[in-house]
Every structure is written in C-alpha cells, then in structure tokens.
Amino acid sequence: MSSVSISDNSSKFSGNSRSLLKKRTLLFRYLAEINLIFGIWYLQWRITHSINFDALWISIPLLIAEIYSYFGGAMFVIGLWRPLVRQIKSLDQMTPPLPRSEWPTVDVFVTCYNEPPEIVEETAKAALKMDYPPTKLRVYVLDDGNSADIRAMTERLCIEDLQSPQLQQEANRIDAEHSYLLQRLKQLENLTPNTQSAEQWLQTSSSEPVVNQLATEFVQSLRQFILWVSPNHQGISNSPVETLRDRLTTERKALEETIRKKELELLELSRFRYIARPKTPGVAHHAKAGNINYAIFSGQTAGNFIVTLDADHIPKQNFLKRVVPYFYTYNLSTGRYDQNQIAFVQTRQDFYNIPPGDPFGHRSNLFYGPLQQGKDGMNAAFYTGTNAILRREALVSVGLQNFADEFAKDEKRLDEFDLVGGVSSNSITEDMNTAMRLHSAGWKSIYHNELLAEGLAPDDLSSTLKQRLRWAQGTIQVLVRENPLTKSGLTFWQRLQYFKTMYSYFSGFATLVFISCPIIYFFTDIVPVKTYGSDFAIHFFPAFIINRLTFLAATWGIPATEIWRSEQYAIALFPLLIQAVWSVFTGQKLNFQVTPKQRQSGIYLRLVWPQLVIFILTILGILWSLYRFAIGHLNNPLVHLLNGVWAIYNLLLLSAIIRASVWQPSKET
C-alpha cells in the first residue's frame, strides 16, 4: 500500500501548514448532484408506478430498503463534499522556529490487556525511539491485565533505556550543571560569615586615610551592586547589614531550589513507566476508556499532550514531529507561537501483517482516505483510538464537564470519578464518542493523512467478526445514548457526519431484503416490482450507472480490488449488523472485547451459517430456473435473466466471507 507522503512537499509552500481540496473534488461534486437527481427520479417512479400491490409483503420492504439506501448514499456524497488534503512542516522545520525549550511534553499511552509481552515491547521500544527530546517524552504501559510478565518487561526495558547513549548524554549534562550549582552554593556559603564584619568595617572606615577611603568606596559600590542585581531588590534598606544578609540568604535559597530541581530532573530521566490500575470487584471499570482515564487522573502522568497507541501499533520515529505542529499558531502581533483550539490529530491506520488478497477486508483506505478527509473538511474528523495525539487540557475539561452532568443524574457515580473523565465511558466504542464530545464543546480536530504507525490486523475470521461487532454495537450505543441530532454544541455538518456513520450500521436489514428478492422470485415467480420492461430499464440503469461513476470518482486512487473487498464485506456482514442493532435495542449487556493479537486457528463456517444458507438457496434458485428453462416451463425468461444477474452479483459479494471462514495461512508464513 502506498501511504500519503506529506513531508516531501513540506518545503514547497509558505507558512507552516496549508489545506487543499482533494483532487477531482469538482468532478465528484458534479457527478454527485446528477446522482442525487437521478436517484430521486428513480424513487419517484418506484413509488408511483412500480409497486406490485399483489405482493405487498415483499414489494413494500424492497421499496423501504431502496429509500433507506438512497438516503444513506445522499449522506455519503454530502459527507465527501469538502475533502481536505493537509500539508504540514515538521516540528523542527517550522518558520520561524519553535525553540526546543518550548516544545511541549508528551505522554505516550500504550494500552494493553493480556497481549503477549513481546508485542507490547516492540511498540514500547518504537515509542522510546521517537525523535523527540528525551526529557519531554514519557512512555507509559497501561496494563489493564496487571500482568507480571508485562511488569517485568517494563522494568527491564526501563533499565535498558536509562543506559542508552541518548539518556546517558542527558544524564551527563544534568550532572555537570548540578556540580556547577553545588560549587556556586559553596562559594556563596563562604561569603556568608564575612557579612557582619564587612558591614562593621564600612561603618568605621570614614575616619581612615585616603588610601583606605578608596578601598571603602570600592566595597560600598560592591555591596550596592550585590543589592542591585537582586531580583527582589526594591532599594537599599535603612539597615544595610540586614539587607545584605537577606540578599545572600535569598540567593542561597534560590540556588538550593535550583539544585533540587536538577536532582529531580535526574530522577525524572526514567521515562518508561508502568501503570496498572486497581480494580475493585463489583465496580464498573469501563475497559479501555477507564484504563486511559485512570492514567490521566491518577497523578502519575502530566504531559501537555497524550499519544494513544494500541499494544500492537508501532509508531515511526517522526510521529511526534509530524503532528505536534498542528497545535501551534504563530501570532504576528506578539512574535510567539500560541496554542490553538485543536483537541486532537488523528493519523491514518494500516497493518503490516495483511496476507495477499486481504481475505478479511482489513485495508481501510476508503475510511482513512476520502471519508476521514471529508469529515476533516467539516471539522468532524473521527478519533479512532490509536495513532492519535490529544491535548490533555481538552480531554480533562470536557471529561470533567461530562462527569458533572453524569453526577447530577446519579450521585452514586462519584466513586467512578477517575474512570468517567477524559475519554468517554458511555459506549464500547469510546473513541468516536470522545471525539463527538470534544466537538460539541467547541474544540477542533485534524485528520493527518500520513502513515505514522502500523499495527497487527486480526488474521482469522473469529477475531475479525468480534472486532466488527464491537464497532457496530458501540456506534449504535452512542446513537441511543448521545444522539448527535439532538446533542447541543455540534454544528449541522458535524451532526450529519456522526449520524451518517450510525445510520450505515442499520444496512443489514436492507441487505437481507436485497439478497432475498431473487431467491423468492426463482421459487415463486413473485416479483416485488410490477414491471421489468423498458420503463424499468429507463429509470433504473441511468441511476445505477451514475451512482457507480460517482463512487468511482470518490474513491479515485484506491485500488479497485480493495474497493471491491470493502463492498463485499459491507454486504456480507448483514447478520452481524442485524445482531448489533438487536442487541443494543433489546438492552443486552455489551462487554468490551479486546481483539486477539494472535491467530485463532480453525475453520469458521459455523460463524457464517446465515450467509451459507443464502448462498446455497441462491444457487439452488438459479439451478431451478435453468431446469425449468430446459424443459420449457419457464415463464418470463427476461425477468429470470435479470434476477439471475442480480443473484450472481449477490453470490460474488457473499463469497468473500465464506472463503475467509476457511482461509488458512500459507506454510511459508
């Protein structure tokens, strides 16, 4: 896969960043408008001229499914109306430069729960190697499984990091500065006993010869200079002995405080740390959200920004330098960089273990491309839980406000203060809900379309389906609990972006209708549409063709094989989507399930039995029609031909997940 390279263009524009409309956006808009018009024209014909009133039990569901699909498609194209391509200069290439002393402190949270230590270790090592000042970077393993192996790995890696040349250099620098400060303190202490005698000598020196008068004037000038350089000096006191003594005392205290800070700085060089929160039985822990929130509110972390990484997502060295500049805006009137209202920057996501052909449909260039860029153009980029950097201030302020709202409803939640804070615990998809809360509070977001971290994708169907089910359930959960259409603070376009994502998870019902219609016709000759003649062709095919052209323009640049795989899974996962809707609306308890990071070997045909049933019935229906045609008993051959083409298309869509259920890695891998 080719990732977007932004750094190559970083020197070809003025300023530190710029945003451009994605190429071919005007062509897409033109096609989208035609698509919407043709879609309305087709639906108008369907409603007024094609309903089969003799079979309303199938005709009405098909019409509803088509109307649902039209509105989903309309929101899809509107959501892509303003796709942004962002370009940014790296942190060390900004003009004017941001002094390294003013670079923000960053905490990297590597969240884990019972993952193998070697996976977590690889991610942690990569995080420690990020190109960033070591005194401004902290890496934390947030071990929600409280694993002894993970703890031991953290301790070992911490010692190795302290022995690295980079930290040894920092330690030598701090030690040299500390030694210099101790020397200054000793010199200052040597001056203190002479203060009283020096002042007495100055008071009795006025009667001495001229040669002593010159010495006296020099000492007096020296005393006044000492008082003058004092940061707290407000004029010479009437009691010179007391004033000079106070000055030396003040200097000594300031020096001792600086020495203490240097000693603390030396201790703080340990930048790889382990956090495992206590879990009280019977109290809600809120899974990943609670894990992150505990790290934020426990007092053990304090970075200005927080990078969240899943246990298996390995960041690149330039991760921070490519995303931190988004949080700063140069102020011409003050000549300094000011922090802005950006709450988080989300980067693209990809995987390094996807087998040839991507049997499980993990490639997500459609979402981490046109979709996220379209959301970004409407200040509605989604936070997806990993490969992102968030402003601590935004998380804490919004988290506290939401906790206050929750506490007002239920005072018993006071015990959960550290768990319901920054990251939303209101859904098992905490990431999207967190982004929506940040947007509703007026914060802004950025989608940075550059591959800066890669992770492990599930490589078996069981793990893949668990992950997809959690996404679907969590998204619908947010719709039920914090409907974006009624949530205050969101703009119209933000409401649209969130709602269209939630709306898409109801497509399982429409898909079931679409793939059932050919089967019903093969065995019963019942058609949901009254006519399949020229009138149908005139209305359907132009709308269908312009729809495909619009989708082609929207996904330009993404490999056709990946688009086809995405379309296959969008249809083939219909039982999972129906299950997700049913489980949420019937109030079933939903648990956060961590996606397994190691292959769960096996054959998983039992997990796709609904798809298998539809697949087999479709094949039997086609064979039954062919048999009737062969014996000369087939009525309306043209209608059977159209349904046959439709059925074959459905078979191709369903075949992907059936093949995935029996897929096995090659022996070489």
Side-chain angles (χ1 to χ4, degrees):
M1 189 209 74
S2 59
S3 63
V4 176
S5 177
I6 300 179
S7 57
D8 292 342
N9 300 323
S10 61
S11 60
K12 297 181 180 179
F13 59 90
S14 60
N16 291 319
S17 65
R18 69 172 179 177
S19 302
L20 305 171
L21 274 181
K22 187 181 178 184
K23 291 181 179 179
R24 300 180 183 84
T25 295
L26 295 181
L27 171 63
F28 165 76
R29 290 176 178 177
Y30 176 72
L31 291 172
E33 290 170 354
I34 299 175
N35 181 36
L36 294 176
I37 294 171
F38 272 60
I40 284 289
W41 180 56
Y42 170 74
L43 284 180
Q44 178 270 334
W45 172 79
R46 283 281 287 113
I47 294 171
T48 59
H49 293 85
S50 68
I51 296 177
N52 185 356
F53 288 96
D54 295 329
L56 290 178
W57 61 273
I58 185 61
S59 187
I60 294 301
L62 178 60
L63 179 61
I64 293 174
E66 289 182 291
I67 294 173
Y68 167 87
S69 298
Y70 173 79
F71 282 105
M75 286 189 288
F76 176 83
V77 298
I78 294 173
L80 296 178
W81 204 255
R82 191 172 180 266
L84 288 185
V85 175
R86 294 187 182 271
Q87 295 178 331
I88 191 78
K89 290 184 177 177
S90 295
L91 186 59
D92 54 356
Q93 297 175 355
M94 295 170 65
T95 52
L98 179 66
R100 290 177 71 91
S101 60
E102 296 181 17
W103 288 16
T105 53
V106 178
D107 292 336
V108 180
F109 289 173
V110 180
T111 57
C112 62
Y113 182 76
N114 293 341
E115 285 86 357
E118 56 271 16
I119 291 179
V120 181
E121 181 176 356
E122 191 172 1
T123 301
K125 283 183 175 179
L128 289 168
K129 289 179 181 178
M130 286 196 289
D131 188 6
Y132 207 73
T135 57
K136 293 180 176 289
L137 177 67
R138 299 283 183 275
V139 179
Y140 297 87
V141 171
L142 309 187
D143 181 16
D144 222 20
N146 200 0
S147 164
D149 291 338
I150 296 288
R151 185 188 295 270
M153 179 274 295
T154 306
E155 293 172 351
R156 174 176 53 80
L157 196 56
C158 178
I159 295 173
E160 291 179 7
D161 183 54
L162 285 172
Q163 295 172 344
S164 66
Q166 187 182 28
L167 258 65
Q168 285 295 308
Q169 183 179 355
E170 284 295 320
N172 292 336
R173 178 188 63 80
I174 296 172
D175 189 58
E177 293 174 357
H178 181 259
S179 298
Y180 172 72
L181 291 171
L182 287 175
Q183 185 179 0
R184 282 188 58 193
L185 179 62
K186 185 176 181 180
Q187 292 172 347
L188 191 63
E189 289 174 346
N190 290 337
L191 287 175
T192 304
N194 298 323
T195 302
Q196 180 70 35
S197 57
E199 290 292 350
Q200 291 177 352
W201 181 77
L202 284 173
Q203 292 175 2
T204 59
S205 63
S206 57
S207 60
E208 297 294 327
V210 176
V211 65
N212 290 337
Q213 185 176 356
L214 293 175
T216 301
E217 290 176 355
F218 172 76
V219 174
Q220 287 176 336
S221 298
L222 182 61
R223 179 178 66 83
Q224 291 175 353
F225 175 75
I226 293 174
L227 296 175
W228 175 73
V229 297
S230 170
N232 299 319
H233 176 62
Q234 296 180 349
I236 299 177
S237 171
N238 293 329
S239 177
V241 175
E242 185 179 359
T243 301
L244 190 55
R245 184 181 301 164
D246 289 346
R247 172 68 183 99
L248 292 175
T249 301
T250 301
E251 279 295 303
R252 187 180 69 253
K253 289 181 178 180
L255 205 52
E256 289 173 346
E257 177 63 20
T258 305
I259 291 172
R260 189 190 68 81
K261 289 181 179 179
K262 282 296 172 186
E263 292 171 347
L264 185 62
E265 190 177 344
L266 194 61
L267 292 174
E268 289 293 317
L269 274 182
S270 172
R271 59 185 187 138
F272 184 49
R273 305 179 183 189
Y274 175 89
I275 297 177
R277 58 175 170 151
K279 290 185 175 181
T280 305
V283 177
H285 300 136
H286 305 300
K288 182 179 177 180
N291 192 15
I292 294 175
N293 287 337
Y294 178 81
I296 293 175
F297 286 96
S298 65
Q300 299 180 58
T301 67
N304 302 123
F305 295 96
I306 296 170
V307 173
T308 56
L309 295 172
D310 284 348
D312 57 294
H313 277 69
I314 301 174
K316 297 187 177 181
Q317 280 190 317
N318 63 340
F319 187 103
L320 291 175
K321 286 188 175 180
R322 299 297 296 144
V323 295
V324 169
Y326 282 111
F327 295 98
Y328 289 90
T329 304
Y330 189 70
N331 189 326
L332 288 173
S333 60
T334 62
R336 296 178 59 85
Y337 282 97
D338 295 335
Q339 297 205 28
N340 49 39
Q341 286 297 107
I342 303 298
F344 66 89
V345 176
Q346 177 65 55
T347 69
R348 69 182 296 114
Q349 184 174 338
D350 205 355
F351 308 97
Y352 56 84
N353 68 322
I354 294 180
D358 188 16
F360 306 106
H362 290 309
R363 291 287 185 210
S364 50
N365 286 319
L366 177 58
F367 179 79
Y368 287 102
L371 292 178
Q372 276 281 52
Q373 289 172 323
K375 296 177 189 298
D376 192 23
M378 298 178 181
N379 188 31
F382 280 12
Y383 165 54
T384 59
T386 186
N387 305 2
I389 181 170
L390 304 98
R391 187 188 299 273
R392 180 185 290 266
E393 176 193 354
L395 270 181
V396 171
S397 62
V398 172
L400 289 175
Q401 181 58 55
N402 278 278
F403 173 77
D405 296 340
E406 293 288 337
F407 179 72
K409 299 175 185 177
D410 183 7
E411 294 186 0
K412 295 180 180 179
R413 302 206 72 179
L414 182 61
D415 294 337
E416 301 177 67
F417 170 75
D418 58 340
L419 301 178
V420 296
V423 177
S424 170
S425 58
N426 204 28
S427 165
I428 57 175
T429 52
E430 75 295 327
D431 40 24
M432 185 189 71
N433 197 193
T434 299
M436 189 168 72
R437 288 181 174 183
L438 290 167
H439 286 137
S440 68
W443 290 94
K444 298 179 180 180
S445 61
I446 294 288
Y447 174 63
H448 181 74
N449 191 25
E450 183 178 5
L451 185 60
L452 295 173
E454 290 182 285
L456 281 171
D459 59 353
D460 63 85
L461 188 63
S462 175
S463 302
T464 299
L465 294 182
K466 286 180 181 178
Q467 184 184 63
R468 301 290 178 89
L469 179 62
R470 174 165 54 85
W471 291 350
Q473 289 175 325
T475 303
I476 299 168
Q477 211 176 31
V478 176
L479 174 65
V480 172
R481 296 179 177 180
E482 293 186 42
N483 191 327
L485 298 180
T486 57
K487 189 172 182 62
S488 62
L490 295 175
T491 66
F492 171 80
W493 300 112
Q494 288 171 336
R495 296 180 196 277
L496 174 71
Q497 291 286 1
Y498 283 105
F499 180 73
K500 81 180 183 72
T501 300
M502 300 167 181
Y503 183 90
S504 68
Y505 282 101
F506 290 84
S507 64
F509 298 100
T511 299
L512 180 59
V513 174
F514 288 139
I515 60 181
S516 298
C517 284
I519 299 173
I520 293 172
Y521 179 72
F522 289 144
F523 291 108
T524 66
D525 280 347
I526 296 175
V527 291
V529 180
K530 187 167 61 177
T531 175
Y532 278 104
S534 59
D535 201 21
F536 170 80
I538 290 172
H539 288 85
F540 173 77
F541 287 109
F544 177 78
I545 292 171
I546 195 67
N547 179 272
R548 303 310 298 180
L549 288 175
T550 304
F551 189 67
L552 178 64
T555 59
W556 192 273
I558 302 175
T561 53
E562 181 181 336
I563 295 299
W564 172 241
R565 182 70 81 224
S566 298
E567 191 170 352
Q568 286 180 309
Y569 271 90
I571 298 300
L573 290 176
F574 75 92
L576 181 146
L577 299 180
I578 293 174
Q579 178 188 352
V581 174
W582 179 260
S583 62
V584 173
F585 281 91
T586 56
Q588 297 179 23
K589 184 179 179 181
L590 306 180
N591 295 318
F592 185 100
Q593 295 189 35
V594 177
T595 305
K597 300 301 187 295
Q598 293 179 311
R599 174 171 171 76
Q600 311 296 300
S601 59
I603 302 298
Y604 294 104
L605 286 172
R606 58 184 173 80
L607 297 179
V608 295
W609 69 264
Q611 293 93 328
L612 276 173
V613 169
I614 295 293
F615 195 88
I616 293 171
L617 288 176
T618 301
I619 292 177
L620 291 176
I622 294 174
L623 293 176
W624 176 243
S625 292
L626 291 174
Y627 171 74
R628 292 170 62 194
F629 177 75
I631 63 175
H633 291 168
L634 188 68
N635 299 320
N636 300 318
L638 178 61
V639 179
H640 275 270
L641 177 62
L642 289 173
N643 278 275
V645 173
W646 187 359
I648 292 172
Y649 178 66
N650 291 339
L651 291 176
L652 292 174
L653 292 171
L654 294 174
S655 64
I657 198 168
I658 295 174
R659 286 201 306 270
S661 67
V662 297
W663 180 87
Q664 297 293 318
S666 61
K667 294 181 179 180
E668 289 78 7
T669 58

